[in-house]
Amino acid sequence: MSPPVAALAPSAMLRRTDPVRGAVERLARTLPARADATVLLDFVEDDLREGLDALGDVQAHFHDLLLTLHRETLTPVAVMNAGEDLHVLQRLEDLHEVVTHLRRRLSQAAGMIRNG
């Protein structure tokens, strides 16, 4: 039986400081040491990072909205500008795409998981 993909994994210190890396390494320990599993793990890691980044942008948008709405003086222009963030709409589309990719990739990973 082949050793797991995680045989070349970075140290435990990196896992503790990088939860995405730790999660991918955990998944790697259950997959066979094959090139397709390694590639799949790279895609999963990229998707997790991209999804979290997109979520951060969406969260920042809502934080900015709250700051705007808590200002002492609200103007129609300030309120309109707060709601017109096209960047957040793009990030939501990105997030939808990433979630779709992760669903497919995790399904592939589930099919590769070694039992026992």
Side-chain angles (χ1 to χ4, degrees):
M1 176 178 261
S2 302
V5 174
L8 302 175
S11 72
M13 180 63 175
L14 180 59
R15 255 191 331 276
R16 283 192 294 275
T17 60
D18 184 352
V20 171
R21 168 61 38 200
V24 171
E25 286 179 7
R26 172 72 175 101
L27 179 59
R29 286 191 295 273
T30 67
L31 301 182
R34 300 187 330 222
D36 60 337
T38 301
V39 170
L40 181 64
L41 288 166
D42 287 343
F43 281 129
V44 167
E45 182 172 358
D46 290 346
D47 287 341
L48 286 170
R49 291 187 191 287
E50 177 62 26
L52 289 169
D53 188 49
L55 277 175
D57 288 346
V58 172
Q59 182 179 15
H61 170 72
F62 280 92
H63 178 75
D64 291 346
L65 285 174
L66 291 174
L67 288 176
T68 297
L69 296 174
H70 278 100
R71 287 188 181 144
E72 188 171 319
T73 304
L74 287 177
T75 65
V77 171
V79 172
M80 287 293 294
N81 286 342
E84 288 294 325
D85 190 347
L86 297 177
H87 176 70
V88 77
L89 294 174
Q90 178 59 52
R91 296 306 277 157
L92 286 168
E93 289 179 23
D94 296 343
L95 187 58
H96 181 266
E97 184 176 332
V98 166
V99 168
T100 302
H101 288 172
L102 276 169
R103 181 177 186 220
R104 186 183 75 244
R105 290 180 175 132
L106 290 176
S107 176
Q108 289 173 320
M112 292 181 188
I113 289 178
R114 295 177 290 129
N115 292 325

